[in-house]
Amino acid sequence: MTHDIHIVGGGLAGSEAAWQLAEAGFKVRLSEMRGSGEKTPAHQTDGLAELVCSNSFRSDDAEANAVGLLHQEMRTLGSLILTQADRHRVPAGSALAVDRDGYSQGVTDTLANHPNVTLVRERVDALPEGPAILATGPLTAPALADAIGGATGAEALAFFDALAPIVYRDSIDMEVAWFASRWDKGETKDYINCPLTKDEYLAFHAALLDGEKTPFKDWEKDTPYFEGCMPIEVMAERGVDTLRYGPMKPVGLDDPRTGRWPYAVVQLRQDNAQGSLWNIVGFQTKLKHSEQVRLFRTIPGLQNAEFARLGGLHRNTFIKSPELLDPTLRLKNRPNLRFAGQITGCEGYIESAAVGLLAGRFAAAELRGQTLTPPPPETALGALLGHITGAATAETYQPMNVNFGLFPPIPGRTKKADRKRMYTDRGRAALATWLSSPQSA
Ligand SMILES: Cc1cc2nc3c(=O)[nH]c(=O)nc-3n(C[C@H](O)[C@H](O)[C@H](O)COP(=O)(O)OP(=O)(O)OC[C@H]3O[C@@H](n4cnc5c(N)ncnc54)[C@H](O)[C@@H]3O)c2cc1C
């Protein structure tokens, strides 16, 4: 059977994209290497959209949570992943957790039996001619990863993520921290600086060494990570002053309260255009999440820090999307190719499926000779897409879960307690407007 579009990768993104296109009436070739004798280091089955680790899609609370709002939007858009997740739901409080085998079997059966889908168990090694969607995930098979590197430029393709923690701006104590650029270089004060005394620094250093870490998986150890994104605790092991001459160096930073350089400084850099998210510079880490929260709140100025993302280092193939992709996820230098899922630099099961949903809908509109306007940034889908295709993050681009820091700020003075509900109410209204506009068909 000839096909209108070729999707490579039968994970969360590829399965969702295939469903959206097939339901729109297009013939889809879906290539998945598992089941052809090929494996990834993480997948255990041949099932489509397999959940490789936890069985949770995180919070399902659409009133007070960005990921819950994303679930709601995807249900509204007829998501296959959400349909099967709901059908195979298991008790987990306000989280959406599933019977992973039942859910994956449901996705596999739905697509394998769909009249518009041809599921082919094969490994793809070269870039398809197109139209095509590449949704091969963080563990893309090496030959195709090289081919992608050839099309994007090797420097625009990463094999490891080096996630520094990201803090909500409004949770930083600016009575203690201050804005400045080192040596006051440049017009603007681009960094938020948190000062440490000698005692605070030595205590922090010792705690870093003692902190509980998440070990690398055996198969991750084969892929070297760059010296430049060494875990902060590994740097600390190299000597008590390594950090003070590295990411925590105080030189050129006068603390306005003392007029002098502190003993050490933790710097935060703006992470998004809105200025609502700030990342802790050079703090990629394998410390366990709970340890990060405990330890990083000992940093003066961050004692009340709320984290939009915690640090991590994982084997993770992803492209520098803000530079490479247009607003509808097409590769700018090869517009017949779209990317979807974790390989675009989103982080998480549901985020990957969401990007697959959008890629499927953008491709379906294009096959109909139309252009689909991206969902507005006030929606969870639009906010996530903005992180992936928005230029603001190109330089320091790293994978990200959906969170309210990616949404345009709520204008005016608002009570913190009301803010989350205001984001989701505004998101629902924006989605309804988008869905009622002709371009969103
Ligand atoms: C070890 C690990 C644990 C994770 N744990 C979680 C977690 O607990 N919670 C969470 O939310 N997220 C987690 N993630 C992150 C992420 O959500 C998942 O990786 C998610 O599966 C990404 O979806 P995807 O569709 O982009 O890729 P995948 O689901 O990985 O799908 C890609 C598919 O492409 C296939 N493929 C690859 N190369 C080729 C090729 N050349 N030809 C044909 N097929 C190919 C693969 O076999 C795979 O089926 C984890 C990631 C990893 C690596």
Side-chain angles (χ1 to χ4, degrees):
M1 172 182 87
T2 58
H3 53 269
D4 300 305
I5 186 160
H6 185 187
I7 298 178
V8 185
L12 286 118
S15 301
E16 186 64 52
W19 169 253
Q20 295 290 330
L21 279 149
E23 285 295 280
F26 295 104
K27 300 287 180 199
V28 177
R29 179 189 181 94
L30 177 60
S31 299
E32 169 51 52
M33 70 179 187
R34 289 175 295 117
S36 72
E38 297 287 337
K39 279 198 161 316
T40 78
H43 291 80
Q44 304 301 315
T45 76
D46 299 340
L48 297 184
E50 177 188 336
L51 303 182
V52 290
C53 187
S54 81
N55 69 330
S56 170
F57 289 99
R58 308 196 322 273
S59 173
D60 203 29
D61 174 354
E63 301 311 322
N65 197 293
V67 71
L69 182 67
L70 186 59
H71 291 184
Q72 190 179 58
E73 292 176 6
M74 292 175 70
R75 287 185 179 106
T76 306
L77 295 171
S79 159
L80 170 64
I81 297 298
L82 262 295
T83 302
Q84 290 301 330
D86 289 339
R87 198 163 292 165
H88 298 278
R89 188 173 196 148
V90 295
S94 64
L96 172 58
V98 299
D99 162 0
R100 65 177 74 237
D101 298 330
Y103 143 84
S104 174
Q105 194 61 53
V107 174
T108 307
D109 294 347
T110 305
L111 292 174
N113 302 322
H114 197 293
N116 288 337
V117 176
T118 305
L119 173 57
V120 186
R121 301 287 181 169
E122 62 181 352
R123 192 188 72 206
V124 174
D125 290 345
L127 296 179
E129 283 311 312
I133 297 177
L134 293 178
T136 44
L139 305 171
T140 296
L144 184 62
D146 291 346
I148 292 170
T152 63
E155 69 295 340
L157 179 69
F159 291 99
F160 243 96
D161 57 31
L163 308 178
I166 291 185
V167 177
Y168 286 103
R169 165 70 180 76
D170 58 10
S171 70
I172 302 171
D173 179 357
M174 296 309 289
E175 297 298 312
V176 175
W178 78 97
F179 278 105
S181 295
R182 205 178 290 282
W183 305 112
D184 293 325
K185 273 213 189 102
E187 304 300 305
T188 50
K189 302 175 185 297
D190 294 344
Y191 290 84
I192 292 176
N193 303 284
C194 300
L196 288 87
T197 62
K198 181 170 183 177
D199 292 347
E200 287 163 342
Y201 174 76
L202 293 175
F204 183 74
H205 180 264
L208 264 183
L209 298 182
D210 294 345
E212 260 193 281
K213 285 94 184 175
T214 309
F216 283 105
K217 297 184 174 63
D218 288 344
W219 49 267
E220 285 184 313
K221 292 177 185 145
D222 312 342
T223 309
Y225 52 71
F226 303 119
E227 177 80 9
C229 50
M230 176 158 318
I232 188 133
E233 61 274 10
V234 175
M235 276 187 249
E237 283 160 12
R238 292 188 169 183
V240 69
D241 276 330
T242 308
L243 294 177
R244 269 187 77 229
Y245 290 94
M248 296 176 72
K249 65 175 179 285
V251 294
L253 294 166
D254 294 326
D255 182 340
R257 294 175 306 168
T258 63
R260 300 203 342 262
W261 299 349
Y263 190 77
V265 168
V266 170
Q267 290 201 300
L268 294 95
R269 179 176 47 224
Q270 184 171 340
D271 198 83
N272 66 345
Q274 293 98 322
S276 54
L277 298 177
W278 290 69
N279 68 66
I280 310 183
V281 179
F283 270 51
Q284 56 278 344
T285 174
K286 288 295 278 179
L287 283 168
K288 291 206 165 154
H289 283 185
S290 55
E291 287 286 81
Q292 291 184 45
V293 174
R294 181 178 65 79
L295 246 68
F296 298 152
R297 282 188 178 153
T298 66
I299 297 166
L302 299 184
Q303 63 278 7
N304 308 318
E306 299 285 340
F307 296 89
R309 180 185 72 189
L310 287 162
L313 267 100
H314 313 95
R315 173 76 180 75
N316 186 0
T317 302
F318 68 99
I319 60 172
K320 266 200 175 167
S321 298
E323 278 171 24
L324 298 168
L325 302 183
D326 74 12
T328 70
L329 300 166
R330 289 181 301 195
L331 192 59
K332 291 174 187 166
N333 65 8
R334 288 182 75 141
N336 59 0
L337 279 186
R338 275 187 169 85
F339 283 81
Q342 182 111 349
I343 199 167
T344 64
C346 65
E347 171 72 35
Y349 296 150
I350 203 64
E351 287 86 350
S352 299
V355 181
L357 184 154
L358 290 172
R361 288 199 167 221
F362 289 140
E366 200 174 315
L367 288 168
R368 277 193 296 267
Q370 299 167 342
T371 301
L372 172 61
T373 310
E378 292 82 7
T379 63
L381 285 164
L384 183 63
L385 188 65
H387 165 70
I388 292 167
T389 60
T393 57
E395 209 186 301
T396 57
Y397 190 62
Q398 285 288 329
M400 180 81 89
N401 290 120
V402 68
N403 65 75
F404 287 133
L406 300 178
F407 291 56
I410 301 282
R413 296 182 69 75
T414 56
K415 274 209 237 99
K416 201 164 184 183
D418 304 337
R419 211 167 293 156
K420 291 182 176 174
R421 181 59 192 265
M422 295 168 89
Y423 276 119
T424 57
D425 285 347
R426 184 183 65 175
R428 278 182 280 278
L431 189 77
T433 308
W434 180 67
L435 284 173
S436 61
S437 69
Q439 287 88 12
S440 73

